Amino acid sequence: MQQGRSRLRMLILSGMFAAITAVLAQIEIPLPLVPISGQTLAVGLTATILGSRFGMVAMLCYIALGAVGLPVFAEAKSGVHVLLGPTGGYIFGFIIAAYITGYILERTKFNLTMALVANIVGMVITLAIGATQLKFVLGLSWPEAMAGGVYPFIVVGLIKAFLASWIGIKVRNRLIQANLLENKIQKAAV
Amino acid sequence: MNFLSRIPIGQFIPGDSFVHRLDPRSKLLFTLLFVVLIFFADEPRTYIFLICFTLLSLFASRISLSYLFRSLKPIIWLILLTVLVHIFMTKGGSLVWEWKWFSVYEEGLRQAILISVRLIVLIIMASLLTLTTSPLDLTDGIERLLQPLARFNFPAHDLAMMMSISLRFIPTLLEEMDKIMKAQMSRGAYFDSGGLVKRTQALVPLLIPLFVSAFRRAEELALAMEARGYRGAIGRTKLRELAWSRTDGVFLVLVILMVVLFFLIRQW
């Protein structure tokens, strides 16, 4: 029963982090071609706090919310066409980025250095998946896709990876102090 | 989930057309299939076939064109940019036009036209899915289609529950954020001045109470749900069952015909 409760609690939390992602996604940094938003910051935070599996579940929940037509994506966009369109890969990438970021942290230590490494890896994955979809949907060559969908975002991405790991670790430590989060890795099966 | 059905949220345009009546699962699967087909199309004739099918679906859905323009509008610049990139960067074929260091080749023009047609068709078909299916039906459909993942311990059964929870908590979290912001400002915090570092530091006392309250709420909600006997998918019954209708049968035949025709045209 205890295990059932902690699983249910984590599922509810994943739902809430999907909501937090939706809220943070509305904070927008305007850039041409591929807009950057608080979305990526939220992905890093979710993965740092919830860990790999539930972080991934939270991102899936977020994407499903957007897919059914609720305005949760950046710029209050929604719909399947945003996901299947040229920039949809940057959203799909969150699923894998959250999983990998959480996974690296679970396998090592929840400290600032590892969080930074994990978040940078997550950012690279998001950009890679995003650029791949950009390339195929728009029929670009690889150098063109990289120039349009990766290079302009590296610096901003690094800043955001730093912010996500810094805030993420700080929040995580406070939550552990407040006895709201167990220090060990969440072992409950998803 | 009935919160979703009462408030006109999302992009759904109610109607009673052939496309509206289809099962959300068949529409979801069809959209994915169509996307794959779009990427198989490489000849103008296959594109013409896909355009015809898109027009047919538009006609069958009786959705006003203005709604489709709304989903096309955000990507118009992207389409234009891609067209320019292809016109000037893609070389091959005979030279069509040259002026100083600009040169346009046949292959570039061809690519530019095909890619923009591909994008427009893709966006129209994908938005048709969200326009003709209610969020409620789509959620059911997604949940059902993700079910095979349950074997890998993925909570496919709980997805709809999680989605309604996050939907229910978006307004609450916004309200709470506002409250925390005011509370911190009354203690002397500034959120809209200072450099990047200062502003980021200001985020920490904003996010921690927000997350703490999210954790508390999750704890309470889990307890309440357990007390009322929530056991996830075990023994769950549904008010609205998705059912395979005759419309879906007709649609399936149509889709198979379309795929066969597509590959025939492609080979020919």
Side-chain angles (χ1 to χ4, degrees), chain A residues 51-179:
Chain A
S52 59
R53 307 202 75 164
F54 290 102
M56 184 176 75
V57 168
M59 286 306 117
L60 248 155
C61 179
Y62 170 68
I63 290 172
L65 278 174
V68 303
L70 304 165
V72 296
F73 295 148
E75 294 172 5
K77 280 188 211 158
S78 66
V80 181
H81 63 272
V82 179
L83 289 171
L84 295 179
T87 55
Y90 293 98
I91 302 174
F92 280 125
F94 293 163
I95 302 177
I96 297 161
Y99 186 81
I100 304 277
T101 308
Y103 187 83
I104 294 174
L105 282 172
E106 282 166 2
R107 284 298 139 115
T108 53
K109 259 194 205 146
F110 282 90
N111 59 25
L112 188 61
T113 328
M114 279 329 288
L116 191 59
V117 171
N119 273 299
I120 289 174
V121 171
M123 180 201 81
V124 169
I125 291 168
T126 311
L127 285 181
I129 296 173
T132 311
Q133 185 161 339
L134 192 73
K135 178 204 179 294
F136 283 106
V137 173
L138 296 184
L140 301 170
S141 65
W142 281 112
E144 284 165 359
M146 295 289 279
V150 176
Y151 301 143
F153 309 117
I154 288 180
V155 176
V156 192
L158 284 176
I159 296 173
K160 274 206 246 180
F162 175 71
L163 290 184
S165 38
W166 186 50
I167 298 177
I169 290 295
K170 228 171 174 173
V171 171
R172 203 188 144 85
N173 288 340
R174 296 281 177 94
L175 288 173
I176 291 168
Q177 268 174 25
N179 253 335

Side-chain angles (χ1 to χ4, degrees), chain B residues 21-86:
Chain B
R21 282 199 304 270
L22 286 173
D23 189 291
R25 285 168 295 180
S26 36
K27 272 189 273 192
L28 269 165
L29 285 178
F30 167 73
T31 309
L32 293 181
L33 177 82
F34 196 82
V35 171
V36 174
L37 278 190
I38 288 175
F39 285 98
F40 267 107
D42 42 11
E43 287 291 316
R45 53 172 189 272
T46 43
Y47 275 99
I48 290 170
F49 177 73
L50 289 179
I51 292 172
C52 290
F53 197 84
T54 309
L55 290 177
L56 195 76
S57 333
L58 272 182
F59 179 72
S61 68
R62 300 206 201 118
I63 290 281
S64 130
L65 285 177
S66 61
Y67 290 111
L68 290 165
F69 281 126
R70 210 174 293 169
S71 30
L72 278 174
K73 222 162 85 188
I75 65 153
I76 279 179
W77 292 110
L78 201 58
I79 295 179
L80 278 178
L81 199 77
T82 320
V83 165
L84 286 179
V85 166
H86 279 295

Side-chain angles (χ1 to χ4, degrees), chain B residues 99-145:
Chain B
W99 180 72
K100 290 188 183 165
W101 57 84
F102 288 120
S103 50
V104 177
Y105 290 88
E106 214 172 62
E107 190 57 32
L109 272 180
R110 204 181 99 105
Q111 280 287 340
I113 294 169
L114 289 190
I115 297 293
S116 40
V117 167
R118 172 204 280 186
L119 250 181
I120 292 169
V121 167
L122 181 83
I123 300 291
I124 286 181
M125 283 310 256
S127 14
L128 213 53
L129 174 67
T130 357
L131 285 170
T132 61
T133 322
S134 76
L136 199 62
D137 279 340
L138 261 179
T139 309
D140 268 356
I142 293 175
E143 197 183 31
R144 199 62 202 86
L145 288 178

